[in-house]
Amino acid sequence: MHRRHFIAGAAAVTVAAGFPVRAATRAAKGDAALRAMLDRFFYGRLDESPELATRLGLDNGPRAGLKARLSDESAKGQARDLARAKAEFAELSRFDTSGLSPEAKLDHEVVTYQLTRAIAGAERFTYGSSLGRFTPYVLSQLTGPYRDVPDFLESQARVRDAAESDAYLARLEAFPKSIDDSTDRQRNDAARGVFAPDYILDTTLRQLASALERAADQTVMVSTFATKLKAANLSADAAARAASIVEQKVFPALQRQRALVTELRAKAVHDAGCWRLPDGDAYYAAAAEAATTVAMSGDEIHRLGLAQVAEIGARIDSILKTQGMASGTVGERLVALNERPDQLYPNTDAGRDALLAQLNRQIMAMHARLPEAFATLPKAPVEVRRVPPTIQAGAPGGYYENASLDGSRPAIYYINLRDTFDRPKFGLATLTHHEAVPGHHLQVSLALESTEIPLIRRRGFFSGYSEGWALYSEQLADEMGMYEGDPLGQVGYLQSLLFRATRLVVDSGMHAKRWSREQATDYLIATTGIARGRSQGEIDRYTVWPGQACSYKIGHTAWVRLRAEAQKRPGFDLKQFHSVLLKGAMPLAVLDRVVREQWGIA
């Protein structure tokens, strides 16, 4: 039910029952006061997050100056973020919630949860990042402005007039400081023994070398700027200035960073898990809970993964046998399926173009079916793009980036095409259902486009909720018949489920049970049949992002369980069940309560 309609209906019932009008008025005033506070929090954060402002299309009007800035990557900037979170929490704690509407109480609860966990993490673990997302290493193949800023400038920074051209140049001028600040933070962490394992630093060095190997005017920072200038009919002189900044300031900062990473590589160990870090066992427990919003020990995560691997593997086995594939383990048969020529696009530019075209067809086919399961659909379009080659060596296999709020930029579903062998045809549709529709695009966009929840929650993210929803969406697509007549496509869907269950095993294996990189990689390949190149990239991702890989299957399990319980209630309607998305992302325990209250589940 749409929140506005719910509020109106509840108010009508309240008045009819003789509930004092003063109470309703008091609730309205309390709701408005809370909304004003939360909006103030959001814009305060936005003022210190220029890239987010640009991504959302909110770097205009009084915030137009944000177009010329980058986020503060220094230790002082980290301390300021923590101090702001503490001030927000103190103010939120003083707020009287007794007169709030149920919706406003939910807003208060969710933001309080986020701040409580973020502050606790940042105070206990003073290395890397733990103010929400836990990433122990300042510099890795997935972390650091050296990789994030050029990609951001290419995909997000707009150049439509002279002012935006000047702002782009100002961001380029600020980039060397971001690099140096991250270098300083990594150097300080390294003094405490906190830096990435040897194989992670090898990839990081390759990416730094890639950033330095081109002439300044051929870097993505300058070449895309020149393209944007031409499209806006602006002077090409600005591109020459950009090249000068890159040559004289950005490259030296990158060289300084590469020197540090080279120094650390000489001292690095090969151990994969964060158990080796200060307070490492507690770090993993906190990281896993931050990602899943569920408190589980490493042993519990491991046992859950093993049980689900066995159950899903049995389902795949039965389908493969109907396709004449009965010999060997499930993993071995999936490897053989991955190697079949009819399942592969050529590893050429033409092959990649054909693969991207297929993904677009899959989006269109699923989008046409969405009204069967959803009463509200997002307005923003979503398009598929290849992960930029400059960062593909360390980037995930696929990821989603939301559209801007002002409608100027679509949502983007990125897929890593460094090797098309990593993306066989039978698994493509389920990735599309996960990253685009009805997965991340539908869930994220419905919240972003809502006017019924405060901005701080429209942009809120809880991995267990969001990644769990995306994996549930893969299951929903299967239930809607998207693989009817396509048993190999269904195998691809089940392989995806198996992959996420396997993540529980290998993530906890590395970080709680001291598995090596090789042990984790071999288990992932043997269990899922996923190509070694992609499997290796996945294991390396879990190395530097502990716990996050667990959020998918734990979240999926919660979504499926809640739907199963709601289906037992009289009058269950799938569209109405899915309308919970309009309330925005929330911790899984809060989602559990919200759904139970909505459907009267004891």
Side-chain angles (χ1 to χ4, degrees), residues 30 104 188 194 264 275 279 315 335 347 364 387 397 498 533:
N188 291 336
V194 180
L264 297 179
W275 52 265
D279 207 8
R315 295 171 63 188
V335 168
N347 196 36
M364 292 174 63
V387 170
L498 180 64

Side-chain angles (χ1 to χ4, degrees), residues 579-598:
S579 71
V580 72
L581 294 177
L582 299 173
K583 295 179 181 289
M586 60 190 79
L588 291 176
V590 178
L591 174 68
D592 185 282
R593 192 195 72 243
V594 167
V595 171
R596 288 179 179 278
E597 289 175 352
Q598 179 183 5

